[in-house]
Amino acid sequence: MRHAERDVAKIAEVTFTSPDRVRDVIHNVNADGFASLYPKYNGGRPRTFTLPARREVKKIAKSRPVEHGLPFSTWSLVKPADFLVAEGVVDDIGFAAYDLRKDQLYGHIRKTKNRSNFLGFCRYLRSLHPTGTRIAIICDNYSPHLTTKRCQRVGTWATANNVEIAYTPTNSSWLNRIEAQFTALRYFALDGTDHPSHRAQGSMIRRYIIWRNKNAADKRLKALVSRANAA
């Protein structure tokens, strides 16, 4: 029994799920065979990703950002998502941050990426540190991150809250250390998947972040990040 429990715990760890979920799956397979692993759809909410949307996502992912007039040379995990939302292809988006000192990854899923939601995420990041400690938030030049003549909310908030908003140079977002973390997230949580909805995909990303922060010393994770940083 102890050996079986260790196996369950290990399976749960590598699949980013709970031991109870693993036990349920094992029980179902023992009772009904491998057919129990196939989902049984009984109507309900239709898929959020329509076929035209999937085709458009693939088309944009295979293109180069400069073909769309964007000021960077390559796509990261976040940038195509930002662009797809701006173009109306999909309707939710993620915010993410990587704490270099703590080696922790943070993420929020929102319907849109605008200055209000960006500032909301910045407030969350600010709350993770003592108010007397100055922090720097490194961003690319995507418009919701910017302080402009027409909208100075980002700069005003940063000055009032002991925060520096630092921007990577144009076409150099790869300098941001979070880009390597996105490589690992894509490998562990997204590659080879076909999530039926944005909600399911967001759930997988959240579960990955929880696992990643508890297992920051994982050898596979560290190897992926190291290779991405060296690329």
Side-chain angles (χ1 to χ4, degrees):
M1 180 64 180
R2 290 180 180 177
H3 178 69
E5 284 298 314
R6 286 199 299 271
D7 290 343
V8 166
K10 187 63 176 178
I11 293 171
E13 178 183 348
V14 301
T15 56
F16 315 123
T17 191
S18 68
D20 286 341
R21 174 59 180 157
V22 173
R23 293 188 191 96
D24 287 342
V25 171
I26 292 173
H27 173 78
N28 291 339
V29 170
N30 289 337
D32 302 319
F34 287 106
S36 66
L37 298 176
Y38 293 95
K40 298 177 177 60
Y41 298 111
N42 294 310
R45 182 180 176 181
R47 288 191 172 196
T48 303
F49 291 115
T50 64
L51 181 58
R54 289 168 185 255
R55 288 173 175 166
E56 190 65 20
V57 169
K58 288 181 179 179
K59 178 182 176 182
I60 291 173
K62 291 179 178 180
S63 67
R64 299 176 60 200
V66 293
E67 295 173 20
H68 307 282
L70 299 174
F72 37 85
S73 57
T74 59
W75 294 116
S76 68
L77 181 66
V78 170
K79 289 188 182 68
D82 294 344
F83 183 71
L84 289 165
V85 170
E87 292 294 297
V89 179
V90 297
D91 61 1
D92 62 359
I93 194 65
F95 290 88
Y98 175 57
D99 190 318
L100 280 170
R101 185 175 65 85
K102 297 179 180 178
D103 191 14
Q104 295 285 282
L105 189 65
Y106 306 102
H108 287 173
I109 304 295
R110 294 292 182 267
K111 281 290 182 185
T112 58
K113 188 167 187 177
N114 52 35
R115 281 190 180 86
S116 295
N117 284 336
F118 172 64
L119 282 170
F121 187 57
C122 288
R123 292 186 188 97
Y124 166 71
L125 298 177
R126 172 72 272 185
S127 73
L128 301 175
H129 304 272
T131 55
T133 300
R134 185 168 178 79
I135 67 171
I137 300 175
I138 301 173
C139 306
D140 59 25
N141 292 292
Y142 188 60
S143 58
H145 304 158
L146 303 177
T147 297
T148 66
K149 290 182 179 179
R150 294 181 59 184
C151 183
Q152 300 185 12
R153 287 186 296 160
V154 172
T156 300
W157 175 84
T159 300
N161 289 276
N162 199 20
V163 175
E164 177 182 356
I165 307 290
Y167 300 97
T168 56
T170 301
N171 296 331
S172 301
S173 58
W174 52 269
L175 292 170
N176 194 334
R177 295 286 293 277
I178 197 173
E179 297 294 330
Q181 300 297 324
F182 289 148
T183 298
L185 187 157
R186 191 161 47 239
Y187 174 83
F188 283 107
L190 300 178
D191 283 355
T193 63
D194 186 17
H195 298 292
S197 67
H198 298 293
R199 183 187 295 272
Q201 180 172 282
S203 176
M204 176 60 79
I205 291 173
R206 292 187 188 95
R207 288 158 59 193
Y208 165 77
I209 291 174
I210 293 170
W211 173 87
R212 181 250 175 258
N213 289 340
K214 291 180 178 179
N215 298 274
D218 182 85
K219 291 182 179 179
R220 294 172 301 164
L221 173 64
K222 291 178 73 69
L224 279 167
V225 171
S226 179
R227 285 199 298 270
N229 278 325

